[in-house]
Amino acid sequence: MIELPLVSLDLARTMVQNFAIIATMLLLYDFIPDSVRSGSRLRFSLYVGIVFGVTAFISMPELWQDTGGSVIGVNFILVPLSAIIGGPVSAVFVASVLLAGSATSSGSLAFSDILTILGGILLGTVFYSDRSGFRLSGQYSVRLIALGAGVALIELVVFVFFSGQQTPGDNPPGITGIITMLSFIVISGVGTVLLGSIIWVIDRKKETERELHEYKDHLEGLVRDRTAELRQANSLQRATIESTADGIVVVDRECVVRAYNQKASAILELPVHPPKDGDGAGQFPKIVAPLLADPAEFLPFFRALPDSAEQVISTGLRFKNNRIYELYVHPQQIGDHSFGRVFSFHDITRKKLAEDAITAANAKLMLLSELTRHDILNQMTVIIAYLDLLEMDNHDPAMSAHISAMKKSLEVIRFQLEFTRDYQDLGLRKPDWQAIETAFTTAAGPFGDRNTTITYEAGTVEVFADPMIGQVFRNLMDNSLRHGGKGLSGIRLSVSKDDPDLLLVYVDNGIGVPPEEKERIFDKGFGKHTGLGMFLIKEILSITGITIRETGSFGQGARFEIRVPAGKYRFP
C-alpha cells in the first residue's frame, strides 16, 4: 500500500471514490416526479428513502470491493441528509440499509455504528423540524454548514468515546490513526455540505420548474379565459348586429366592404356571408350606386365625407326598388386613429309614404282653410257694410251702442282669422338650421318706423329650429312695443354661453313684466290682446327642444332667455 505522510493513499482514494459514487447516485433525487413532491408527505418520504437507500447500497465499499474499511464510512452522511429532506421515515429507511450492509459485511453490528446512525437520525430530524424555511431560504448555506459540523461532531464524539473504552490489552490509537480519523471526520463534514449543495441545486431547479409550470398554466388560463370572453363578446356583437332592423356595413379606409349583417346583404344584394379571402366584398360606393334611383344624389355626399364624420348622410336615399333609406355613418376608431367607417341603412319607406300622405292632406286642408277664411272675410265685409248703413240711418243712442259693439266683435274675428293665416304653417315644415341674424333683422323690418332702436349682437350663430322662428322675434318686438310703455327706446338681442347650452338674450328698456305674470304670460289666452302671441312663441321654440323664460326686473325692462340645448346650435 502506498503511504503518504500520516494518511494512507489507498484509503484516501477509496473515500474519494465512495464520495463520488454517492454524489452521482444522489442525482436520482432529481427524477422524483413533481406529482410525488406536491402530493402526500409520506409518499414523498418513501421515495426519498428509496433514492438515498439505493445510493447507500451501491456506494458501500465492502459490498463491491474488499478494502478492509468500514461499510458505513462516508455513507453515514446520507442518514441526516435524507432526514432533512424526507423526515425520520426516509432516515430510518437509509439507516436500515446501512446497518444491514454492515451486518452482512462484518457478520455483526458494531455498537459504534449503531450509535453513529442513531445520532445521524436525531440530527436530521432536528433540522427537518424546521424544514419550512430550511430548504429554500436565503440562510440555507449557514444551516448546511451547521449540519456538516453536526455530522463531524457525531463522528468525533463516537471516536473519542470508543477510544476511551479500550481494554488494558488493546493498543491505543497512534498519531497516524488519530490523524486518519480526523481526516475522515473532516471529509464527512465537507461531504455533507457538498452533497447538501447538490440537493439544494436540485430543489431550486424543481422549484423554478414548478413556478414556471404554474405561471405557464396561469397564462394559459388567462388566454383561455380571454379567448372565451372575446368569443362571447364577438358572439354578442354579432347577435346584436344581426338583431337590428338596420343594414350595417363596415368598410376600411379605402372604402372596401369588410363586414355586414344579413339585413345589409338583402338591401345591397351582397352574398349571405362576407368573403374570407381578405379582398373584401368590393368598393362601397360602387356597390351602392347601381342600386339607387339617382346615383348622382348620393356620390357628392359620400366624396365630401371626412374620416371622422358621424352624421346622417341622406334622409331620403331612394333605391330602384322604391325602398327609401336613411343612411348614417359612424367612424371606426381606436383612440384617435381611424380604421374605417360603419354605415347603417335605416328603412324609412313607410315613414316617407306617411309623411307624403300627411303633406298632401295638409295641403288640401290648407287650401280648404284658405278658401273658407276668404269666404268668411268676404261675408264679414258685407256685414260691416250693412252695419255702417244701419248706423247712418239710426238715431237711437242705445242702438248705436249695440252697433258699435257688433263692429268691435267683427274686428276681433277678422284679427283672429288673419292670425290663423299667419300661423297655419306652424310645424308643417321640417326644422332646419336657421340663421338668427337673418330671422331677427327680417322680423325687425316692419318696426323700423318706430322711435325704437333695434340692435342685433348675437354674431353668426345658427339654431336648429322651426322655420317660423322669425315669428318668435316678431311677437317679442310687438309685445315690447305694445306693453313697454312710453319710455321704451331700445331692443337688443345678444348671445352668451351657459355650458353646454347657448342663451339668446332678448332685452328691452321698457317697464318689464310684473313678477306674478312671469310664468303666466306663456299661457294660452293670457294677455291684454289676443292672448296667443307669447303662447305661440313657446310652442314654436319647443318643436326642437328650445325653451324661453322671462328673467327681467319689473320697472327696468323685459329680459327673455331663449335656451338652446347642446347640439342645436352652431357657429358657421
Side-chain angles (χ1 to χ4, degrees):
M1 179 181 293
I2 300 175
E3 297 291 339
L4 291 175
L6 304 177
V7 182
S8 168
L9 179 61
D10 289 342
L11 178 60
R13 178 176 54 80
T14 299
M15 293 177 65
V16 171
Q17 289 177 347
N18 193 199
F19 181 78
I21 292 172
I22 293 173
T24 302
M25 294 305 298
L26 274 182
L27 294 177
L28 293 173
Y29 175 67
D30 186 34
F31 293 96
I32 296 178
D34 292 337
S35 59
V36 174
R37 290 174 179 270
S38 59
S40 168
R41 169 54 67 177
L42 178 60
R43 186 183 179 194
F44 176 67
S45 297
L46 290 175
Y47 267 80
V48 172
I50 292 171
V51 170
F52 279 73
V54 171
T55 301
F57 178 80
I58 293 176
S59 62
M60 288 181 185
E62 285 295 331
L63 293 179
W64 303 106
Q65 51 184 329
D66 187 13
T67 62
S70 171
V71 168
I72 294 180
V74 177
N75 296 332
F76 160 67
I77 64 180
L78 293 172
V79 176
L81 284 175
S82 64
I84 67 172
I85 296 173
V89 174
S90 302
V92 170
F93 189 91
V94 177
S96 300
V97 173
L98 290 175
L99 291 175
S102 178
T104 302
S105 173
S106 304
S108 63
L109 285 175
F111 183 65
S112 60
D113 289 343
I114 296 175
L115 188 60
T116 301
I117 292 297
L118 291 176
I121 294 175
L122 180 61
L123 178 65
T125 302
V126 171
F127 277 85
Y128 177 77
S129 65
D130 192 28
R131 65 187 182 278
S132 60
F134 178 73
R135 291 170 59 191
L136 297 174
S137 69
Q139 299 179 350
Y140 180 82
S141 59
V142 176
R143 293 170 179 260
L144 200 57
I145 293 173
L147 180 66
V151 169
L153 182 61
I154 291 174
E155 294 278 11
L156 180 60
V157 169
V158 171
F159 172 72
V160 172
F161 177 77
F162 283 99
S163 295
Q165 296 296 319
Q166 290 181 340
T167 61
D170 293 336
N171 293 323
I175 188 67
T176 301
I178 294 174
I179 293 178
T180 299
M181 191 59 195
L182 291 177
S183 300
F184 172 76
I185 292 173
V186 171
I187 290 175
S188 296
V190 173
T192 300
V193 175
L194 292 177
L195 292 178
S197 299
I198 293 174
I199 293 171
W200 179 81
V201 170
I202 294 173
D203 279 341
R204 288 297 300 173
K205 172 177 171 291
K206 287 292 185 180
E207 183 68 16
T208 302
E209 289 176 350
R210 183 187 64 80
E211 291 177 353
L212 289 175
H213 184 72
E214 290 179 353
Y215 188 65
K216 175 187 174 185
D217 291 343
H218 175 66
L219 290 179
E220 289 178 347
L222 290 177
V223 171
R224 285 193 300 271
D225 293 343
R226 185 57 179 162
T227 301
E229 291 175 2
L230 289 175
R231 287 176 178 173
Q232 183 178 4
N234 288 336
S235 175
L236 178 61
Q237 182 185 43
R238 190 67 189 174
T240 302
I241 292 176
E242 290 296 344
S243 64
T244 180
D246 295 345
I248 306 296
V249 179
V250 180
V251 304
D252 59 20
R253 290 180 59 85
E254 285 71 38
C255 289
V256 176
V257 175
R258 295 299 178 184
Y260 50 83
N261 62 358
Q262 296 301 306
K263 186 67 176 180
S265 171
I267 294 173
L268 302 179
E269 301 177 3
L270 293 170
V272 175
H273 300 289
K276 298 181 179 179
D277 55 7
D279 294 334
Q283 289 283 330
F284 180 70
K286 294 181 179 179
I287 294 174
V288 177
L291 303 175
L292 300 178
D294 185 8
E297 180 184 357
F298 164 72
L299 294 176
F301 284 107
F302 188 82
R303 293 192 185 102
L305 196 64
D307 289 340
S308 59
E310 182 180 351
Q311 63 189 60
V312 175
I313 296 179
S314 175
T315 57
L317 200 62
R318 187 179 294 273
F319 279 56
K320 291 179 179 178
N321 59 4
N322 291 324
R323 304 302 296 178
I324 305 172
Y325 295 91
E326 180 181 76
L327 182 59
Y328 183 84
V329 62
H330 191 282
Q332 184 186 9
Q333 292 179 310
I334 297 180
D336 296 330
H337 187 65
S338 176
F339 289 89
R341 299 171 180 151
V342 179
F343 292 91
S344 65
F345 291 82
H346 181 60
D347 193 336
I348 57 173
T349 305
R350 291 185 178 181
K351 176 184 175 183
K352 280 292 186 181
L353 293 176
E355 288 178 353
D356 292 343
I358 291 173
T359 301
N362 281 334
K364 294 178 180 179
L365 289 173
M366 289 175 63
L367 177 60
L368 179 61
S369 176
E370 184 67 31
L371 293 174
T372 302
R373 185 167 47 247
H374 184 269
D375 290 343
I376 292 174
L377 289 173
N378 286 340
Q379 293 302 315
M380 286 179 61
T381 302
V382 173
I383 294 174
I384 291 173
Y386 278 111
L387 286 175
D388 288 340
L389 293 175
L390 183 60
E391 187 177 28
M392 291 173 60
D393 295 336
N394 176 56
H395 300 288
D396 184 358
M399 182 61 69
S400 297
H402 292 317
I403 294 174
S404 178
M406 293 174 63
K407 294 175 82 174
K408 288 181 179 180
S409 296
L410 289 172
E411 286 299 324
V412 171
I413 294 173
R414 181 192 297 275
F415 179 84
Q416 289 178 339
L417 287 172
E418 292 175 349
F419 186 87
T420 59
R421 180 185 59 200
D422 293 338
Y423 287 95
Q424 67 181 357
D425 292 335
L426 179 60
L428 293 181
R429 288 181 290 171
K430 293 180 180 180
D432 202 352
W433 291 103
Q434 310 294 335
I436 298 302
E437 182 177 10
T438 301
F440 185 82
T441 53
T442 302
F447 306 105
D449 57 346
R450 305 294 182 92
N451 295 324
T452 302
T453 303
I454 301 177
T455 308
Y456 176 80
E457 299 177 356
T460 58
V461 64
E462 291 185 354
V463 171
F464 190 75
D466 188 271
M468 291 193 67
I469 193 172
Q471 191 66 40
V472 169
F473 300 121
R474 187 156 45 248
N475 284 6
L476 287 173
M477 295 175 191
D478 181 70
N479 184 74
S480 295
L481 293 169
R482 284 180 182 274
H483 309 296
K486 296 180 179 180
L488 177 70
S489 62
I491 295 174
R492 176 169 54 89
L493 182 69
S494 61
V495 65
S496 65
K497 286 296 295 292
D498 187 15
D499 288 332
D501 301 336
L502 181 78
L503 293 181
L504 295 174
V505 182
Y506 174 95
V507 296
D508 65 38
N509 61 350
I511 61 174
V513 180
E516 65 275 9
E517 296 182 4
K518 289 182 180 292
E519 297 294 333
R520 298 184 61 196
I521 58 175
F522 298 106
D523 293 342
K524 182 179 180 181
F526 181 82
K528 299 176 182 179
H529 195 45
T530 64
L532 295 175
M534 300 302 291
F535 169 75
L536 288 170
I537 286 177
K538 184 181 71 172
E539 293 301 311
I540 293 172
L541 295 175
S542 66
I543 291 175
T544 54
I546 303 173
T547 60
I548 183 172
R549 64 172 184 156
E550 208 285 328
T551 61
S553 299
F554 184 60
Q556 299 179 10
R559 185 179 190 274
F560 292 91
E561 288 185 357
I562 301 174
R563 181 175 293 272
V564 185
K568 300 294 181 65
Y569 64 88
R570 66 185 183 184
F571 294 91

